[in-house]
Amino acid sequence: MAADCIFCKIATGEIPSEMVHEDERCVVFRDINPQAPTHLLVIPRAHIVGMAHLDAADLELLGHLLVVAGEVAEAEGLAESGYRTVINWGPDSGMEVPHLHLHVLGGRRMTWPPG
Ligand code: AMP
Ligand code: ZN
């Protein structure tokens, strides 16, 4: 837990969120500024800053985040229509919150390439 991290505080419940999934390793909540009809954020409870901070010790956790992303997307009714998963890292990506998070976006047709 990083003392000044908004997503660490969401994971502990210190900052309220619309939580859709919680387990020992991760939580999933609705994005406060949704970019699609369904916009969820899957985050590890552990404070990992982002992609550039991962190593082999994180393999199991990363697999878990992806499996949970698929499960919550299915629970949202997106399994057939489809959805997009995104992990931003660094200034060029537009990343705002330095705590690893996986976006799950669905409920509308996406464009490609992303902006
Ligand atoms: P990123 O640009 O990849 O760092 O994404 C950060 C996301 O966190 C943005 O989509 C924000 O809308 C979202 N966000 C920021 N603060 C909150 C919050 N308190 N509750 C839910 N989502 C948030
Ligand atoms: Zn954090």
Side-chain angles (χ1 to χ4, degrees):
M1 163 118 191
D4 58 350
C5 174
I6 186 172
F7 282 3
C8 281
K9 289 178 179 171
I10 285 176
T12 62
E14 191 179 338
I15 291 178
S17 69
E18 200 177 331
M19 201 69 84
V20 300
H21 171 93
E22 290 186 73
D23 64 41
E24 284 181 5
R25 287 173 285 182
C26 75
V27 303
V28 185
F29 53 96
R30 295 193 191 282
D31 197 293
I32 204 167
N33 182 24
Q35 301 301 310
T38 297
H39 187 171
L40 304 174
L41 298 172
V42 182
I43 70 167
R45 287 189 183 276
H47 182 76
I48 298 171
V49 175
M51 291 296 296
H53 299 256
L54 298 171
D55 61 36
D58 300 311
L59 282 174
E60 193 187 343
L61 173 63
L62 292 168
H64 181 68
L65 298 179
L66 277 179
V67 169
V68 168
E71 289 173 351
V72 293
E74 183 170 6
E76 293 284 317
L78 299 174
E80 281 192 26
S81 55
Y83 51 91
R84 182 166 292 170
T85 55
V86 174
I87 300 176
N88 291 319
W89 170 249
D92 276 357
S93 75
M95 182 191 193
E96 291 171 357
V97 179
H99 177 130
L100 183 72
H101 50 281
L102 191 155
H103 297 258
V104 177
L105 299 133
R108 67 168 171 83
R109 187 59 65 100
M110 304 286 158
T111 58
W112 192 265

